[in-house]
Amino acid sequence: MEFEEIRRQANAAVTELLDAARPEAGGIFIVGCSTSEIMGAHIGKGSSLDAARAVYDGIFPVLREHGLFLAAQCCEHLNRAVIVERAALLSGTEICNVVPKLHAGGAFAMTVYENAEHPVAVEQIRAVAGMDIGDTLIGMHLRSVAVPVRISVKRIGEANLVCARTRPKFIGGARAEYDPVLIGDEIKR
């Protein structure tokens, strides 16, 4: 697999997802990324720092341009903890003491940690949108109401790609009126 192609696919995917989801600046964007799956191996069995760097190089500049924080979901060996910039966290958020490594956290979490200004690990976040590269199951780190976003990019390398945005919960029942901007009805699908 050509790493420039992986970078290009990741860049195209995040660009298309953000065009559809239109999250507000300051939000957290979660990425679960199995570099093993990208490289055509079973999840956790063929980690690749080069693939992780290619995905990071494709995604991070687009997120920065949109004013979003990148969060990386660690592998199951770190209980799917999240690596994120300290500045993205609310005051009082409890952090964990762990540094991701290749086989305890994963290549992508390592890459995000190494490139962050002030990286921290937390057990849970509530991201506004995200990408699941290789069936890593990011749903636990999205806000309560996640909405799938279908984009033209279906795979990054050999890994399946699933994208999601979130929206606020509806409350109030039949007599309530809802803001169509918050629903996302105006979003082209």
Side-chain angles (χ1 to χ4, degrees), residues 11-21 149-153:
N11 182 271
V14 74
T15 299
E16 191 174 342
L17 173 55
L18 293 179
D19 286 348
V149 177
R150 309 274 188 243
I151 63 172
S152 64
V153 180

Side-chain angles (χ1 to χ4, degrees), residues 87-107:
L89 302 177
L90 297 173
S91 177
T93 301
E94 189 172 352
I95 63 170
C96 302
N97 186 358
V98 69
V99 176
K101 297 297 176 196
L102 194 60
H103 298 291

Side-chain angles (χ1 to χ4, degrees), residues 46-131:
S47 300
S48 167
L49 283 171
D50 290 331
R53 289 180 187 119
V55 171
Y56 179 87
D57 290 346
I59 292 174
F60 184 74
V62 179
L63 295 179
R64 184 176 52 215
E65 180 181 310
H66 283 81
L68 298 169
F69 290 101
L70 173 60
Q73 178 180 280
C74 295
C75 69
E76 65 182 295
H77 296 96
L78 294 187
N79 296 325
R80 292 190 176 89
V82 175
I83 303 302
V84 66
E85 287 283 358
R86 183 181 291 273
L89 302 177
L90 297 173
S91 177
T93 301
E94 189 172 352
I95 63 170
C96 302
N97 186 358
V98 69
V99 176
K101 297 297 176 196
L102 194 60
H103 298 291
F108 187 72
M110 267 182 72
T111 300
V112 170
Y113 190 94
E114 291 169 356
N115 285 280
E117 287 185 41
H118 300 288
V120 294
V122 295
E123 289 184 291
Q124 189 174 44
I125 58 163
R126 290 291 172 222
V128 297
M131 294 172 49

